[in-house]
Amino acid sequence: MARISLCCWHNVKIMASTLFCLSLAVLPLSLLFYFWVFIFISGSSPKGKEYDKFIMNMCSSSDFAFFKTLLSWGYFKRSFKNCCRHWRLTFFPVQFAKLGEKAPDAKLIDMAGNVKYLADYIKQSSSIPLILNMGSYT
Amino acid sequence: MMLDIYYNYCNPIGCNGSPAVARFLTIYIEEAHARDEWWLPESPEAFAGGKACILNHKTMEERITTARKFQEDFAFPCELVCDSFNEDVNDRYGAWPERLYIIQDGVVVYQGGHGPFDYKLAEVKDWLSERYGLRGDIMTRR
């Protein structure tokens, strides 16, 4: 009897619509998941023992800080931004700094709001090494 | 460690009687843990030094203002400039969240890893001390 009912057109329609709805739900969820994990796979791609230790500590903390961070809207926004940058640079590549190669130029803004170029700083320091320290307040 | 490098190798007015052998340029890029983005409220540093109040920059003026605030809060002595709002430095140097480079004669001679885990000022100091001799005290390595 069960076989007969499965073959019934009505059941096929139900199954098809269920599958369709499931795929509709799964696709955006997969996409969300992709953005969420992106920061770890290509955003900053940290590796090494210190990073492993950090992740282990976060995962084992009793206040679920790691998971709370992962589920925050801010984390999603950051991951999404990194994801967009990654694909933008994949499709529209720019000269990227590589060890042993010419340092790429970049537009900078000084504290007075004037436009400067990294090439000028490199030219000014000529024979002495120029240490570039890149970062932010947070 | 950063100030140790700056005062011993890069201070333009002299490094304890010796001339500066390198130039130290800090480039302020977009925030790593802005209050309205990937904020880390559980981090012990989140409330220190006004970090909790830093919002993501919406305009170039905001970025400059935050950079100035950073300069003032930490009495930061080094030369500081900002990345443009097109994120030129970030795109070309993979700078986010923090990174170190050394450029000599227009060529990248040292490329540090991505921070915070591979941001190693000790490697920069080692690079400098190998070429110009060890200056200053040996500080805690990061």
Side-chain angles (χ1 to χ4, degrees), chain A residues 35-55:
Chain A
F35 290 140
W36 253 306
V37 297
F38 197 85
I39 209 158
F40 283 117
I41 57 174
S42 71
S44 59
S45 57
K47 292 173 190 79
K49 278 182 184 169
E50 276 182 73
Y51 178 69
D52 294 343
K53 197 176 151 196
F54 167 76
I55 293 295

Side-chain angles (χ1 to χ4, degrees), chain A residues 5-22:
Chain A
S5 63
L6 260 179
C7 292
C8 173
W9 177 237
H10 179 68
N11 283 356
V12 171
K13 276 201 293 187
I14 290 172
M15 277 171 69
S17 57
T18 310
L19 277 173
F20 179 71
C21 291
L22 268 174

Side-chain angles (χ1 to χ4, degrees), chain B residues 4 10 23 29 31 46 49 54 60 68 73 103 105-106 109 121 125 127-128 130:
Chain B
D4 176 39
C10 312
R23 188 176 181 183
I29 59 167
E31 292 298 326
I54 306 296
M60 196 60 229
R68 275 208 201 99
D73 290 353
I103 293 165
D105 296 320
V109 290
L121 283 160
K125 186 166 182 181
W127 191 93
L128 289 166
E130 271 171 28

